[in-house]
Amino acid sequence: MEFGNNELIMLKAMLTNPMDDWTLESLFKETGWDDQVHIAGAGNVLSELGYVQINEKITIFIALGFEGKNSLDVGLLESRLWSWITDQNNDEQTLSNLLSADFTRKETGPGIGLLKGLGIEIIEGKFSYDNTEEISELIQQREDFIKLLANSRVKISDLDKNLVDHFSSRRGLINFEEVKSRSWKLTKKGIEVDASKFQETNLIGELTPEILQKESWKGAQFKPFDVSLPAPIPFGGRKHPMQSLIERIRSVFLEMGFSEIEGNFVQSAGWNMDALFIPQSHPARTMQDTFYLSEPETIDIDEKFLDLWSRVHEHGHDTGSKGWGGNFDINESRKSLLRTHTTVNTIRHIANNPDSPSRVFGIGRVFRQETIDRTHLPEFHQIEGIIHEPDASLPMLITTLKTFYSKMGYPDVRVRPAYFPYTEPSAEVDVMWRGEWLELGGSGIFRPEVTEPLGTEWPVCAWGMGLERLAMLILDLDDIRQLYQPDLEKLREMPLL
Ligand code: PHE
């Protein structure tokens, strides 16, 4: 350890107020430095030489978690439940009314626990309580606590301990964040030192071309380089984990001999649903589940297909099927919407190339009216693919999916029987993750009701899987929203894919 200019500057700075416990900010001010590396480095030398004592302090801050942020917009669950209860007439305040009110099942379960914690009991199916004011007061305190954290984290010591304890036992409401801070204080030896006895020497810390050319390095002193000292971590640019994952999936399919296809977000209900033999009365087709567009309101479809789908849906045409019966409405087919799955891309690909065998895949965004929560987003991505050739078969489908997932690092794959209106047989695909089977997508062989109108007689293996589900597995996340939160710190910590 060598006493150089930086050490002298820092020592002199500290001697301007020898008793002070110097923080980073106050040292920046006094030394004129703006990089904490100087202070860390000089501070270490001074401490090693016995002039300075370094103190490390850990401060715990509380910040809002996902649920906490969410409750800023919608209110805390207990507060919404309490408003609901107090809005009802006395004899309407029943559990069964609550269950049919506007709360999701995921809310009512924990919600009832929260109400109990507030002293609200359920007696013979009715909510019973006698301390209305106290309950409102308690809930208000909780709401105030959350609002306090709305804009920035707060030191734990500035917060009510009971409320911190309370919220820390609830999932996702608050996070604990540790912040390490250092301070520097002169020791007795430091206070008494005579700084004028130190000479200003120019220690060379970095060799530049100028120093080398002028030969001024001759006879100069070099600053020793200590590789064990802490230094800031340089963060280079990197791809967003979702982008890397998409690229990896793409290269796996390309490696397996597949070609990539794309399609538009805006599609007709005809191609998105009717072509897939999804009955026009299917609940997933309603406005609650699908985003229909007003501009354009309709999309033209080749009459040939409208005609074929009408027949197939009404009586099966010559597919051997009985169809769904009823009247097929071609105006329904022309409605425009945001595609709800990427299966629309693969069937359009077959319709355009009915006579050429193909193995294609696509990774694309799809849209569904979903309430955002831990496992749902209204926009997400699917990994879609087909094998369309004379010998396509179920074993071929299963082997393909197994190969894909094992190349992605998940060798244990199982398929279970499932149902989709457009495939027979249909299979759900699960992968083993940490001892559990997780559902990743659907697959099957397209029914003749789907393939015949497209103009092919070959079997088609088809699958559509969730990209975000896979990403959550790979990145070890338990909340789908974390994938799209622009949190640089978290993004930097995510593994390279
Ligand atoms: N389209 C289905 C979905 O969105 C997945 C699927 C694709 C199922 C192809 C069978 C065949 O979940």
Side-chain angles (χ1 to χ4, degrees):
M1 284 291 161
E2 193 100 22
F3 193 97
N5 262 5
N6 278 0
E7 287 70 27
L8 186 57
I9 294 170
M10 180 151 162
L11 187 62
K12 280 184 175 164
M14 294 178 76
L15 281 166
T16 60
N17 191 352
M19 297 312 213
D20 205 9
D21 196 4
W22 291 80
T23 61
L24 201 58
E25 289 71 37
S26 56
L27 280 169
F28 276 156
K29 234 175 162 184
E30 196 60 43
T31 56
W33 291 334
D34 57 7
D35 188 343
Q36 57 170 312
V37 167
H38 295 321
I39 294 172
N44 276 337
V45 175
L46 290 173
S47 134
E48 206 113 324
L49 297 173
Y51 296 120
V52 163
Q53 187 190 333
I54 303 174
N55 297 313
E56 265 188 3
K57 200 169 82 192
I58 291 178
T59 315
I60 299 176
F61 286 86
I62 302 287
L64 288 184
F66 283 111
E67 284 304 332
K69 286 183 192 149
N70 194 26
S71 72
L72 282 175
D73 301 329
V74 300
L76 283 167
L77 178 56
E78 60 267 49
S79 147
R80 287 185 285 130
L81 289 166
W82 180 238
S83 310
W84 180 87
I85 292 178
T86 48
D87 278 352
Q88 313 300 308
N89 292 330
N90 202 22
D91 41 330
E92 300 282 311
Q93 300 180 357
T94 64
L95 182 59
S96 59
N97 280 346
L98 176 79
L99 294 178
S100 50
D102 224 1
F103 295 100
T104 65
R105 209 179 302 159
K106 276 194 207 114
E107 292 180 322
T108 43
I112 286 164
L114 285 170
L115 293 177
K116 283 207 172 132
L118 290 164
I120 303 170
E121 308 228 32
I122 301 172
I123 297 175
E124 289 173 1
K126 263 196 85 210
F127 291 106
S128 152
Y129 49 90
D130 48 23
N131 42 353
T132 312
E133 251 158 55
E134 229 171 88
I135 295 171
S136 300
E137 169 74 29
L138 251 168
I139 293 179
Q140 190 55 47
Q141 283 174 7
R142 292 186 191 169
E143 290 277 7
D144 291 345
F145 179 92
I146 294 290
K147 283 197 199 106
L148 210 59
L149 299 169
N151 298 319
S152 61
R153 58 187 189 188
V154 175
K155 263 194 212 158
I156 192 167
S157 53
D158 293 343
L159 292 167
D160 182 296
K161 183 173 176 315
N162 289 331
L163 286 168
V164 173
D165 286 347
H166 169 79
F167 282 115
S168 65
S169 67
R170 292 171 62 176
R171 192 190 168 93
L173 277 151
I174 57 172
N175 293 330
F176 289 76
E177 294 177 2
E178 270 187 19
V179 176
K180 249 196 223 164
S181 60
R182 282 190 188 179
S183 62
W184 294 261
K185 203 170 164 26
L186 289 174
T187 58
K188 193 160 172 292
K189 180 176 167 193
I191 295 170
E192 287 166 359
V193 77
D194 174 9
S196 63
K197 80 170 198 216
F198 296 108
Q199 278 199 25
E200 284 213 13
T201 42
N202 243 331
L203 285 186
I204 298 180
E206 200 181 345
L207 269 184
T208 60
E210 289 76 23
I211 293 176
L212 289 173
Q213 272 158 17
K214 286 193 194 142
E215 304 204 340
S216 58
W217 53 272
K218 281 190 181 158
Q221 264 182 292
F222 288 91
K223 194 175 159 67
F225 195 76
D226 185 348
V227 289
S228 67
L229 288 180
I233 302 168
F235 288 110
R238 58 175 285 192
K239 279 187 182 140
H240 191 282
M242 287 307 278
Q243 191 57 41
S244 312
L245 178 61
I246 289 174
E247 282 166 20
R248 208 172 120 196
I249 293 169
R250 179 174 289 139
S251 61
V252 166
F253 274 118
L254 291 172
E255 195 174 291
M256 288 168 66
F258 285 75
S259 315
E260 188 168 2
I261 56 166
E262 276 186 323
N264 292 334
F265 292 168
V266 176
Q267 297 284 346
S268 58
W271 279 110
N272 191 81
M273 293 143 171
D274 297 322
L276 285 161
F277 197 52
I278 299 176
Q280 291 195 319
S281 59
H282 196 285
R285 296 182 64 139
T286 60
M287 303 253 267
Q288 281 83 50
D289 286 301
T290 301
F291 291 108
Y292 287 92
L293 300 177
S294 50
E295 185 112 358
E297 205 177 340
T298 59
I299 294 181
D300 282 344
I301 300 173
D302 190 335
E303 289 294 330
K304 172 183 99 181
F305 288 112
L306 287 176
D307 184 47
L308 281 166
W309 297 335
S310 302
R311 295 172 197 222
V312 168
H313 278 244
E314 283 175 9
H315 49 74
H317 188 46
D318 51 15
T319 62
S321 160
K322 288 196 182 133
W324 297 111
N327 283 327
F328 185 86
D329 179 0
I330 55 172
N331 291 323
E332 191 60 41
S333 309
R334 291 194 179 111
K335 282 188 182 164
S336 85
L337 46 72
L338 291 177
R339 68 181 181 207
T340 61
H341 52 191
T342 41
T343 318
V344 59
N345 294 351
T346 48
I347 53 159
R348 296 199 74 162
H349 178 81
I350 301 172
N352 291 332
N353 309 275
D355 302 318
S356 37
S358 58
R359 295 183 170 211
V360 296
F361 76 99
I363 306 163
R365 186 177 299 209
V366 298
F367 307 84
R368 293 182 194 173
Q369 293 251 29
E370 300 266 16
T371 316
I372 298 182
D373 64 23
R374 219 165 50 75
T375 51
H376 294 92
L377 291 174
E379 287 188 39
F380 56 100
H381 296 79
Q382 290 187 322
I383 312 165
E384 192 86 28
I386 49 164
I387 301 176
H388 168 226
E389 55 194 39
D391 295 328
S393 65
L394 187 63
M396 189 186 264
L397 170 66
I398 296 172
T399 308
T400 304
L401 295 177
K402 283 198 168 160
T403 309
F404 168 72
Y405 279 116
S406 67
K407 279 174 184 277
M408 293 301 294
Y410 299 92
D412 289 333
V413 179
R414 78 172 181 190
V415 290
R416 285 179 296 121
Y419 173 77
F420 299 98
Y422 35 99
T423 46
E424 181 61 39
S426 306
E428 205 93 62
V429 186
D430 300 342
V431 300
M432 175 65 91
W433 185 70
R434 297 196 178 162
E436 259 182 87
W437 288 109
L438 286 183
E439 195 180 303
L440 287 189
S443 66
I445 310 278
F446 280 146
R447 299 175 68 101
E449 291 95 325
V450 175
T451 49
E452 279 212 27
L454 300 178
T456 178
E457 282 177 10
W458 298 333
V460 181
C461 303
W463 61 88
M465 297 170 300
L467 174 67
E468 279 78 3
R469 284 302 286 278
L470 186 62
M472 285 169 75
L473 278 195
I474 292 181
L475 299 170
D476 197 12
L477 304 178
D478 61 3
D479 191 318
I480 195 167
R481 290 167 289 196
Q482 286 168 311
L483 292 171
Y484 298 112
Q485 221 102 42
D487 182 336
L488 272 186
E489 215 162 307
K490 292 238 167 63
L491 286 168
R492 279 173 181 150
E493 285 165 7
M494 286 192 191
L496 287 173
L497 298 177

